[in-house]
Amino acid sequence: MSDLALGYLSFPILLLMIFLRAPVGLAMLLCGIGGLWLATDGTTVFMARLKSEVFSTFSSYNLSIIPMFLLMGQFATHSGMSRSLFKAAEAWLGHRKGGMAMASVGACAGFGAICGSSLATAATMSKVALPELRKYGYSGGFSTATLAAGGTLGILIPPSVILVIYAILTEQNIAKLFAAAFIPGIIAALGYMVTIAIYVRIYPEQAGVKERVDLGARIKALGAVWPVLVVFGLVVGGIYNGWFTPTEGAAVGAMGTALIAFLAGALNWQVLRQSIVETATGTGMIFFIILGAGFYNGFLALTQVPQEVSAFVTGQGFSPWAIMVLILIFYLILGCLMDSLSMILLTVPIFWPVISGLDFGLTTEELAIWFGILVLIVVEVGLITPPVGMNLFIINSMDKETPMTATYKSVLFFVASDVVRVIILLMFPAITLVFV
């Protein structure tokens, strides 16, 4: 069997392992090691890579940004910022039809600005918002779907761990990617709120209305979210203005949220230990996936699969726009099977050479940033796409009384909103590139 055929054969094997519930990082690692063994007729190459790949990957200075952002999210969770965000959004929006659900989306967007993780945003905000949504008569399916969709804002609104990984893979500027994600993130939050407004008019019985809060109470609730604004402004503003590097910004953000948690009386030795352990666990999971992807992508590079795919696609005579649409559709389908980080690590080394060779009237840097935001959005959609959206399972595990089918039915409205947003950003790249 030729190396190229071996490379193509590895894809169905990888998907089969994932379907059989093997951890994605382990599946990619085994496919990479097995592929290198067969392609080189021995253990010399993969043993040499095993010796060098681990050190060269995990000693990367750029990757140190990941545990810092995860630690920042942990401190933000324990400091009560999530509750303050929800109470502020609730005070301003709760009296509207569907307002409590809109408040949940707004709070998710705010928390995503200091967290960087979709799953963490969904899980944290669910603890705060689910009881309130139930209290005011919101149906279980509508509530869980809203929080699952709102949680996806955690990886779109900067800072974002997934954007950091994409920047490293495509050798792009992290600060510019963060800036490019800002407007699409706002559009996403507003799009979800419009979706909620439409939903509650179609199904008015699934949402209640909270009494209006007076202006003084609204301003007081808004004043309680100043820590979020300070951390977000310091981290993202500092990175964008060149005050410090993204890695330094992540460290500053982690220190800032720790200080806020301490001043709020929420940071003791037990919370500190729990935050560090959970950060280490999350970092270990991400790094293992990165290691597995490194081995698998190294094997694919050896078999020339990315180059052959690029040559085949560009040789078919399709327009650049048709190729882009096909790639985005592939991401939507793959999102039903894999988590967002694994998709990015697995596919970007294959698809980016294809996209970079096409003419969209943009510079290479602009193209990389635009493509990165589009990929991030469709990966985000995969988190709430039935039947295997990760956020759906996270939220459903926290509300076992709600059937998964009810969540599926309601979340399709948010998926439709995401599809509309992808189409808008695809047709108008300038929206993404305003601050670049």
Side-chain angles (χ1 to χ4, degrees):
M1 183 182 296
S2 67
D3 289 350
L4 185 61
L6 195 62
Y8 286 136
L9 181 62
S10 68
F11 282 106
I13 294 175
L14 176 64
L15 293 176
L16 177 62
M17 293 177 68
I18 294 171
F19 181 76
L20 294 175
R21 303 272 183 183
V24 176
L26 179 61
M28 288 192 289
L29 180 63
L30 292 178
C31 283
I33 290 177
L36 286 171
W37 190 343
L38 294 174
T40 58
D41 295 322
T43 62
T44 304
V45 173
F46 89 76
M47 288 298 290
R49 283 184 65 89
L50 191 62
K51 179 176 67 175
S52 61
E53 187 88 16
V54 176
F55 177 78
S56 63
T57 298
F58 300 145
S59 63
S60 170
Y61 175 73
N62 290 329
L63 284 180
S64 61
I65 193 174
I66 294 174
M68 289 295 99
F69 276 141
L70 293 180
L71 186 60
M72 184 171 74
Q74 287 293 327
F75 287 145
T77 300
H78 293 299
S79 66
M81 290 184 185
S82 56
R83 182 168 296 278
S84 298
L85 283 165
F86 179 75
K87 289 299 181 183
E90 177 189 51
W92 288 87
L93 297 171
H95 61 280
R96 300 180 180 276
K97 188 67 174 176
M100 294 292 288
M102 295 179 188
S104 300
V105 169
C108 286
F111 192 76
I114 52 173
C115 179
S117 167
S118 173
L119 298 181
T121 300
T124 301
M125 294 311 305
S126 293
K127 294 176 183 177
V128 176
L130 268 178
E132 294 294 313
L133 289 169
R134 284 299 184 87
K135 177 181 176 182
Y136 289 99
Y138 284 73
S139 69
F142 182 36
S143 300
T144 52
T146 298
L147 290 166
T152 63
L153 299 174
I155 64 171
L156 180 57
I157 295 178
S160 167
V161 171
I162 302 296
L163 272 183
V164 171
I165 298 296
Y166 176 84
I168 293 172
L169 289 174
T170 56
E171 299 180 347
Q172 296 302 312
N173 185 291
I174 295 175
K176 289 184 177 181
L177 277 165
F178 281 179
F182 188 67
I183 290 181
I186 293 175
I187 293 174
L190 293 176
Y192 286 160
M193 290 184 184
V194 170
T195 300
I196 291 168
I198 294 172
Y199 186 93
V200 296
R201 280 159 178 79
I202 298 174
Y203 303 105
E205 73 283 355
Q206 294 197 26
V209 178
K210 182 180 180 293
E211 64 277 6
R212 182 185 291 268
V213 177
D214 64 76
L215 183 60
R218 293 186 191 183
I219 294 174
K220 182 179 179 181
L222 193 61
V225 303
W226 68 264
V228 178
L229 299 177
V230 169
V231 171
F232 177 76
L234 185 61
V235 174
V236 178
I239 292 173
Y240 189 69
N241 289 308
W243 299 342
F244 32 68
T245 67
T247 303
E248 293 167 348
V252 169
M255 186 63 193
T257 49
L259 181 60
I260 290 169
F262 177 75
L263 294 176
L267 185 62
N268 52 38
W269 284 113
Q270 182 180 356
V271 170
L272 179 62
R273 180 180 180 277
Q274 182 182 355
S275 299
I276 292 174
V277 169
E278 291 182 5
T279 298
T281 302
T283 301
M285 180 190 69
I286 292 173
F287 277 20
F288 186 66
I289 294 174
I290 292 173
L291 177 64
F295 266 88
Y296 187 60
N297 289 326
F299 159 64
L300 292 180
L302 178 67
T303 61
Q304 298 289 300
V305 167
Q307 294 87 337
E308 288 293 327
V309 170
S310 177
F312 173 78
V313 172
T314 54
Q316 297 305 302
F318 296 131
S319 71
W321 296 97
I323 293 173
M324 177 69 84
V325 170
L326 289 173
I327 288 175
L328 295 180
I329 291 174
F330 176 81
Y331 271 113
L332 287 174
I333 296 172
L334 193 62
C336 297
L337 303 172
M338 299 178 67
D339 65 276
S340 54
L341 177 62
S342 302
M343 279 192 284
I344 292 290
L345 288 166
L346 177 62
T347 60
V348 167
I350 297 174
F351 289 151
W352 170 236
V354 175
I355 293 298
S356 62
L358 302 175
D359 182 15
F360 289 92
L362 302 172
T363 66
T364 301
E365 182 185 53
E366 289 174 338
L367 181 58
I369 291 173
W370 177 54
F371 179 62
I373 299 303
L374 287 174
V375 168
L376 188 67
I377 292 173
V378 291
V379 163
E380 166 195 322
V381 178
L383 292 171
I384 59 171
T385 303
V388 197
M390 293 291 291
N391 272 20
L392 300 180
F393 286 104
I394 291 291
I395 302 298
N396 193 258
S397 68
M398 304 180 71
D399 185 13
K400 298 184 183 298
E401 296 179 5
T402 300
M404 184 64 83
T405 51
T407 304
Y408 285 167
K409 179 181 177 181
S410 297
V411 85
L412 291 178
F413 283 78
F414 295 98
V415 173
S417 171
D418 284 327
V419 171
V420 171
R421 175 160 43 102
V422 170
I423 293 172
I424 292 173
L425 295 178
L426 184 62
M427 294 175 62
F428 304 102
I431 294 175
T432 301
L433 303 173
V434 168
F435 295 124
V436 177

